[in-house]
Amino acid sequence: MAANRYPLIAREGWPSIALAGMAAVILAYQLGWLWSLPLWLLAAVLLYLFRDPARPVPASPLAVVSPADGRVSAVETVRDPYLERDAQRISIRMHASGVFSTRAPAEGKMLEPRRDKDRPHGVWLRTDGGDDLVIVMNRGPLRNPPRCYVRLGERVGQGQRCGFVTLGSDIELYLPTSSRVKVRVGDQVRAGADVIAQLIHK
């Protein structure tokens, strides 16, 4: 399902929000609304934590948008261990109270690079122009695994919602060395909306 067809609250939070709301209603009915106030506050906090706002995706086919909300923690040229090539890596640290949904940085087809049990699972995105990007979602602060909702071989649109990491995590994006990076360490970025790099075609 495309990102712009998602409701304002991420589906991952629906069970917890519904449970808190139902418990608050029951407690208010049996003991009064003052007793239920903590549960209403809990439901409000959960609504905030699991918010999933719509994002305006830039109309630029060669733009690479941020895959996550957070702060850029590293921009460096490294050896891409997933595709065995030199690459530019942009690392983003998600906020623990930020939006936890992740989005596709570009339009293309999802592939799977070679797996290695000693490193996090990466997803390989090949654009229609033949550019290869690798997105890596690390485990969250509670060692909780990220969720990926895009199947291998499936096409994704730029800025499409494709995953979720409860409480956030470190996101790594490997780009071709020819890419023009548009962010610096310390920059705050929004998933699906902020352009962090430009793919260069000669």
Side-chain angles (χ1 to χ4, degrees):
M1 185 181 291
N4 59 6
R5 300 212 302 271
Y6 267 83
L8 295 177
I9 304 301
R11 63 184 181 184
E12 291 81 2
W14 293 353
S16 299
I17 294 168
L19 183 62
M22 290 174 59
V25 169
I26 293 172
L27 202 60
Y29 178 76
Q30 293 183 342
L31 299 177
W33 73 271
L34 279 177
W35 289 93
S36 67
L37 188 57
L39 289 173
W40 287 120
L41 291 175
L42 174 60
V45 169
L46 291 172
L47 282 169
Y48 177 78
L49 286 177
F50 287 97
R51 68 196 185 280
D52 192 7
R55 292 288 168 77
V57 180
S60 177
L62 293 180
V64 177
V65 298
S66 177
D69 280 25
R71 182 182 64 84
V72 177
S73 58
V75 176
E76 54 196 339
T77 300
V78 298
R79 186 69 179 171
D80 176 358
Y82 296 88
L83 298 184
E84 297 295 335
R85 58 168 182 171
D86 291 332
Q88 295 198 68
R89 181 173 65 189
I90 300 176
S91 300
I92 299 171
R93 176 155 294 175
M94 299 173 71
H95 302 303
S97 60
V99 176
F100 304 141
S101 295
T102 59
R103 296 176 182 261
E107 182 177 3
K109 184 177 182 180
M110 286 295 187
L111 305 172
E112 185 175 29
R114 182 172 56 84
R115 282 181 176 267
D116 188 325
K117 62 181 178 62
D118 295 324
R119 64 175 181 238
H121 181 234
V123 176
W124 174 11
L125 172 63
R126 171 162 287 175
T127 70
D128 293 338
D131 297 294
D132 292 316
L133 292 70
V134 176
I135 308 102
V136 182
M137 295 190 296
N138 292 280
R139 286 180 174 267
L142 302 179
R143 302 303 299 162
N144 48 296
R147 301 180 184 180
C148 183
Y149 297 120
V150 180
R151 297 188 182 93
L152 297 177
E154 183 179 344
R155 285 189 60 81
V156 295
Q158 186 183 52
Q160 177 179 328
R161 187 185 191 274
C162 61
F164 193 87
V165 190
T166 304
L167 298 180
S169 72
D170 290 328
I171 307 295
E172 298 171 338
L173 181 62
Y174 292 87
L175 303 169
T177 54
S178 60
S179 304
R180 183 180 298 128
V181 176
K182 293 182 172 291
V183 291
R184 296 180 296 180
V185 173
D187 286 352
Q188 301 290 331
V189 292
R190 296 175 304 152
D194 291 341
V195 176
I196 62 174
Q198 193 81 19
L199 299 172
I200 303 299
H201 288 178
K202 296 181 180 179

